[in-house]
Amino acid sequence: MSGIMDLSFLTEEEQRKILDVLKRDERLKKEEDRRVRKLRQELQELRKKGAIKADTDNSGKKCARCRESLGWFINAGELCPKCQHKVCKKCQVLQTSGRRKWLCLVCNKQMEIKARTGEWFYEKIPQVNNAKLVGTDLVRASMRSGPPSRGKYVSFSN
């Protein structure tokens, strides 16, 4: 099976409506891509701001995120449970899930990006065949490939 659906039974009006939905979907995907790109830029800024190497001798005396000096007893810093960098209290983000769990700013932003983009889902499912079309990509390919049985197919390019 080639992964293309037979859409020859659709009327021109039905095809037009499907194409309108596909155009709207494309516009929404572009908006979502801009939003995700902005989140990724924020993550890069957080990484640059606190770029610290674990092997430097100051790594235990400064926060790995904001580079503030850490105290001996008060705000001595704690290791992020995920990345194991030592961070101060203001660079810790409390998680909303029940107990007092926290992550550093960078790990929290990474988790937020995965949640908002759906990356967590694609990490969990096995990639059996990357060539298979799904969702709107499948409908677009089907609209392009099939021979028109009831008039011409409407082009969905802008």
Side-chain angles (χ1 to χ4, degrees):
M1 185 172 161
S2 65
I4 304 296
M5 300 184 308
D6 178 23
L7 301 177
S8 60
F9 61 91
L10 296 174
T11 65
E12 279 190 51
E13 180 63 24
E14 290 170 330
Q15 290 178 24
R16 238 186 320 277
K17 288 185 184 228
I18 289 172
L19 291 172
D20 287 342
V21 169
L22 292 174
K23 285 179 186 177
R24 195 170 345 130
D25 177 66
E26 191 171 324
R27 189 185 78 242
L28 290 172
K29 279 183 181 178
K30 286 179 182 176
E31 288 176 16
E32 182 68 10
D33 287 344
R34 279 192 293 271
R35 191 176 63 80
V36 169
R37 194 171 27 251
K38 182 181 175 188
L39 283 172
R40 291 188 193 282
Q41 286 173 344
E42 290 173 7
L43 177 61
Q44 280 303 108
E45 289 300 315
L46 282 173
R47 284 183 175 153
K48 284 180 192 175
K49 180 181 174 187
I52 190 168
K53 303 228 184 310
D55 60 347
T56 60
D57 52 1
N58 283 343
S59 63
K61 298 177 184 172
K62 290 189 178 192
C63 174
R65 299 298 169 222
C66 68
R67 309 285 289 161
E68 294 276 326
S69 294
L70 296 172
W72 286 97
F73 298 108
I74 299 173
N75 199 15
E78 294 181 62
L79 292 177
C80 173
K82 190 167 183 182
C83 68
Q84 299 300 308
H85 283 103
K86 198 172 219 182
V87 294
C88 67
K89 290 283 185 201
K90 71 178 183 180
C91 293
Q92 297 176 9
V93 180
L94 203 58
Q95 301 300 295
T96 57
S97 60
R99 291 187 239 137
R100 263 186 76 75
K101 292 183 178 182
W102 63 273
L103 292 174
C104 71
L105 292 170
V106 173
C107 292
N108 186 65
K109 184 62 80 172
Q110 287 173 330
M111 191 177 74
E112 180 183 347
I113 289 171
K114 280 186 178 183
R116 290 190 179 184
T117 61
E119 286 177 24
W120 63 271
F121 178 76
Y122 294 108
E123 287 176 353
K124 299 293 182 192
I125 60 171
Q127 298 295 326
V128 177
N129 186 357
N130 292 337
K132 288 186 179 179
L133 297 172
V134 294
T136 57
D137 295 331
L138 173 62
V139 176
R140 279 192 175 101
S142 299
M143 297 284 288
R144 274 185 258 169
S145 68
S149 65
R150 297 183 185 145
K152 294 181 179 177
Y153 282 99
V154 180
S155 172
F156 54 85
S157 60
N158 290 334

